[in-house]
Amino acid sequence: MKDLFGFRIVDQLQKIDIDIKRENLKYHHKRVLVSKEFTFDAAHHLHDYEGKCKNLHGHTYKVIFGISGYTDIRGLMIDFGDIKKIWKREIEIYLDHKYLNETLPAMNTTAENMVIWIFEKMDEALSSLDKSLAARVEFVKLYETPTSYAEARREWMFDE
């Protein structure tokens, strides 16, 4: 290894089947949780509400997913890129730069209602993946502002 201005540079990159065996890629047989965040901008208004939010307005929302499962033979439970694909294809299309009162199912577009819808959409999409990984949504947080969020947790959604 060379030391260049405090940075280490490896002499030789580790090679699969030479320096590490495939059976060593998976280190454990435990359930793990990965998390991925997304943002979207959208407009909405609330019905049957006497406050500022009865008027049409917008937010930059932040969504945080906690997804758990078991790792495959490589030691991966789910690729972060696959979570992003599900988000883009199945969920974001209804949310980003949309008028939520039109694009979501008939509901008051509160953070509390929306977080359940987002949870259900992601959980449904994950159920179509490799069943041996048992990938599932553990929680979803939906931030409406930087300091205000609604949360849905698996234990509140399903009796297991």
Side-chain angles (χ1 to χ4, degrees):
M1 303 245 174
K2 298 174 184 165
D3 189 346
L4 183 64
F5 305 110
F7 295 99
R8 262 181 41 190
I9 300 172
V10 296
D11 291 325
Q12 185 176 354
L13 193 62
Q14 192 180 61
K15 293 178 185 70
I16 189 83
D17 296 324
I18 296 171
D19 302 306
I20 186 169
K21 296 179 177 148
R22 290 182 189 273
E23 61 267 18
N24 294 121
L25 296 178
K26 181 172 179 151
Y27 177 73
H28 62 87
H29 300 283
K30 310 266 189 240
R31 181 174 283 279
V32 295
L33 183 134
V34 297
S35 186
K36 183 95 174 119
E37 296 184 13
F38 301 97
T39 61
F40 66 94
D41 296 296
H44 76 135
H45 69 93
L46 299 182
H47 299 285
D48 195 25
Y49 182 81
E50 289 307 317
K52 289 194 241 179
C53 294
K54 73 178 180 179
N55 299 312
L56 180 62
H57 65 285
H59 298 283
T60 296
Y61 291 89
K62 178 169 73 168
V63 178
I64 303 173
F65 291 99
I67 299 170
S68 78
Y70 297 96
T71 59
D72 63 15
I73 59 173
R74 303 167 299 165
L76 286 171
M77 188 271 291
I78 189 169
D79 188 293
F80 290 113
D82 291 338
I83 299 171
K84 184 177 181 179
K85 285 177 194 170
I86 292 170
W87 166 256
K88 293 276 188 196
R89 187 179 60 236
E90 306 289 335
I91 304 169
E92 185 189 54
I93 58 172
Y94 298 99
L95 303 173
D96 193 36
H97 287 82
K98 303 291 183 185
Y99 172 45
L100 300 175
N101 298 71
E102 286 182 341
T103 59
L104 292 179
M107 68 169 81
N108 211 5
T109 55
T110 63
E112 296 90 336
N113 280 338
M114 290 170 54
V115 75
I116 298 297
W117 181 84
I118 293 168
F119 184 108
E120 291 171 344
K121 292 293 279 184
M122 179 59 80
D123 209 50
E124 180 184 318
L126 290 175
S127 69
S128 67
L129 299 178
D130 183 348
K131 301 290 184 213
S132 69
L133 304 179
R136 66 187 193 194
V137 179
E138 295 296 337
F139 70 84
V140 177
K141 289 183 180 183
L142 175 64
Y143 282 82
E144 192 171 86
T145 71
T147 60
S148 303
Y149 70 89
E151 182 171 0
R153 295 183 188 176
R154 176 165 215 82
E155 61 264 27
W156 302 337
M157 302 283 286
F158 305 104
D159 294 326
E160 293 189 320

